[in-house]
Amino acid sequence: MVAESDREQWGYAPLERVGPLRFGMSVEEATGAMLTRGFTSDAVAEIGTFGPFKQLRTGFRAAAAPFHRADVVAYYVGPMGLTCIAVDALTGPQVTYEGIRLVGRPPSELSDELTAHLVSTDRSVEITPGGDIGSQDLGMMPRAQRAGDVLLTRLVFGRPNDWANTMSDCVPADEMLGHY
């Protein structure tokens, strides 16, 4: 696990960007943006199709990190480009939104803080398929990730649009599985 003080600090602009990654980027643009921040990438993998479009995945890790690690996973759908970004609870950058730390927290703490924010800004409080609090309006779906005997938040960000009506629609199946 990477200590909070050693994590890269990223901001989140809902439905627009997560750190240096902007929704709609091509694989090459995302790889270049991450390289400038000190992250290397895995080979691009085809993970399936979404209608007529190929669905691709790229894992990014800090340059000095072990080869098997993926701090950030980017998902792309055909001509829509980057559509979904997952940030690892144990090793990924800390992503903040409106002063709320989103990554690597006990799910109940994030749920309480996110619920208070959603209510105070007149947004819908939604329960994700995994039972966590998420938001279609903000394009975020927290997922629980194991850290030994503890659960921490792994954040999945997406931008539903013409190809996906909801956050659940735009999150690839492998992100809906458990992460250890």
Side-chain angles (χ1 to χ4, degrees):
M1 186 160 164
V2 175
E4 185 70 23
S5 60
D6 293 334
R7 290 177 187 254
E8 187 156 329
Q9 302 296 307
W10 288 4
Y12 177 56
L15 310 175
E16 184 182 321
R17 68 168 182 78
V18 180
L21 296 173
R22 292 189 170 281
F23 292 107
M25 284 180 144
S26 68
V27 172
E28 296 78 18
E29 290 169 328
T31 300
M34 292 296 279
L35 188 58
T36 64
R37 296 294 281 265
F39 288 83
T40 61
S41 65
D42 296 340
V44 177
E46 186 175 329
I47 59 170
T49 58
F50 194 93
F53 306 118
K54 287 183 182 179
Q55 204 169 23
L56 306 174
R57 176 185 61 221
T58 306
F60 296 97
R61 67 182 179 288
F67 184 76
H68 66 276
R69 192 168 104 182
D71 302 330
V72 177
V73 181
Y75 297 92
Y76 315 82
V77 174
M80 278 74 72
L82 183 58
T83 56
C84 188
I85 301 161
V87 180
D88 189 80
L90 307 178
T91 63
Q94 180 54 261
V95 181
T96 57
Y97 168 72
E98 299 281 324
I100 301 170
R101 289 178 29 254
L102 302 172
V103 177
R105 299 182 62 188
S108 60
E109 287 179 11
L110 178 59
S111 289
D112 290 348
E113 199 169 345
L114 189 55
T115 298
H117 174 76
L118 292 168
V119 168
S120 73
T121 58
D122 274 340
R123 291 188 172 105
S124 296
V125 176
E126 299 169 12
I127 299 176
T128 69
D132 298 300
I133 299 298
S135 173
Q136 297 290 324
D137 295 339
L138 299 179
M140 67 172 72
M141 182 185 289
R143 303 283 299 143
Q145 181 177 337
R146 288 189 69 83
D149 291 336
V150 177
L151 292 177
L152 298 175
T153 52
R154 171 187 183 87
L155 259 288
V156 180
F157 302 93
R159 183 173 70 180
N161 54 27
D162 293 340
W163 73 277
N165 295 320
T166 67
M167 273 298 294
S168 294
D169 294 339
C170 75
V171 175
D174 57 342
E175 277 304 323
M176 299 307 281
L177 302 172
H179 291 274
Y180 302 97

